[in-house]
Amino acid sequence: MKDGDTGMGANFRFVHCADLHLGSRFRGVSETDPASAERMRDSVFESFSRIVDRALESKADAMFIAGDAFDEGTITPKTRMFLAEELGRLGIPVFMAKGNHDPWTSWESSIPFPENVHVFGSEPEKLEIPGVEGAEAVGVSFANWHEERNLPSMLSGTPGKFSVACVHCDVDRATPDYDYAPCSLSDLKGRGIDYWAIGHIHKRSVLCTDPWVVYPGNIQGRSFKECGEKGAYLVDVKDGRVSEAKFFPTQGIVWYDEVFDVTGRTFYEVLDEMKRFIMPGSIARLTFVGSGEMDGMLRRDLRSVSNMLGSQLKATVSEIDVQTTPAVDIDARRSGNDMAGTLIRAADSIKASGREKILGIIASNPLMKEHMSLFGCMDDEKLCELVDESLGDILSRMEGAR
């Protein structure tokens, strides 16, 4: 309920989701692994079906979809029919705002949405929420794929009613090269809106609670840029105020980009930690850091390790980045008369000689010579890190061969 209002206020429950991107193609994966791409495509549709299931189970009174229901050029009659049938199954009032990936097609009226669905037009609209006393839905859609208007500034609520605004916009993140419906958080305040159901940013975030300004994120991660759980929010309103806004996950595949420290640990100890973090059926990119006996195992046969981890985790391990060092006490071995001591002292000498010496050694390798512009941009600290990494790799191979 807005400041200054009196009375009990609205009591209802609604679901807020956005950025469904139904029909995402996963083109890069499709070319290399068609079976995985098919599973990924299906996961987007399945995630939305779970959102509908949750809305029904929780007896929600309405649903708000804040833009990008589709995925631009991938919209097909089959995709639109899926959404229409799921919203029909849902049955409760649904309010949708179009975003930059929701094209206005010439044929969409041939597959109409059911009567419980209202798609906001490109000018502001304000409607009662059927079956809910004292509440209203306000919203506006993109007029074209690159909307430049400040859409939130066009919306306002009605005094005495709980107002939910549904809009696709970019809050405080616009840049000269990326400015879709740009606005600032201050534009969303003082407009008589109690809950801003917004979309566009794929990482979920509660920007404010007075009023509520919520990005639910997209419903299914599609790359390592979209890691973690994905889903929607279930929002309870009691006496005209938000009593709870709870995220619930619905994704079929979770993307993970995780770092694990091997220092002083066995493979089984690291594996136990990984199992606590990584869900079966997920896709993972793993980075190993630290120093320990695992360094030799990781560097000796990385493909075998990747297959073994995938089997143990029941997940797809798409990439492994080994940044570990061998379990070698470099300080203690530096003065030794063995090969390790000689290599450590040589590395120390190279680093002490300065950047020109390091760059000269790199340039002497014919394979590296054509990339000298890249190495030349590195600062002294980074070049010394390259020397240390090379030393670690050699020492690891030596230790592993023992």
Side-chain angles (χ1 to χ4, degrees), residues 50-79:
R50 294 187 190 100
I51 292 174
V52 171
D53 291 341
R54 182 63 178 271
L56 290 170
E57 292 165 1
S58 62
K59 294 180 171 55
D61 299 290
M63 175 182 285
F64 293 85
I65 303 176
D68 285 0
F70 301 108
D71 199 48
E72 205 165 347
T74 65
I75 183 173
T76 65
K78 181 179 179 180
T79 302

Side-chain angles (χ1 to χ4, degrees), residues 18-21 68 71 101 168 173 178 199-205 215-220 222 225-227 229-230:
D19 299 283
L20 315 184
H21 290 279
D68 285 0
D71 199 48
H101 286 280
H168 201 72
R173 293 171 62 94
Y178 194 84
H200 186 53
I201 303 304
H202 289 189
K203 183 177 181 180
R204 73 176 183 272
S205 177
Y215 277 121
N218 56 338
I219 67 170
Q220 172 59 64
R222 299 177 298 170
K225 293 180 180 179
E226 299 174 353
C227 290
E229 292 184 320
K230 300 290 183 176

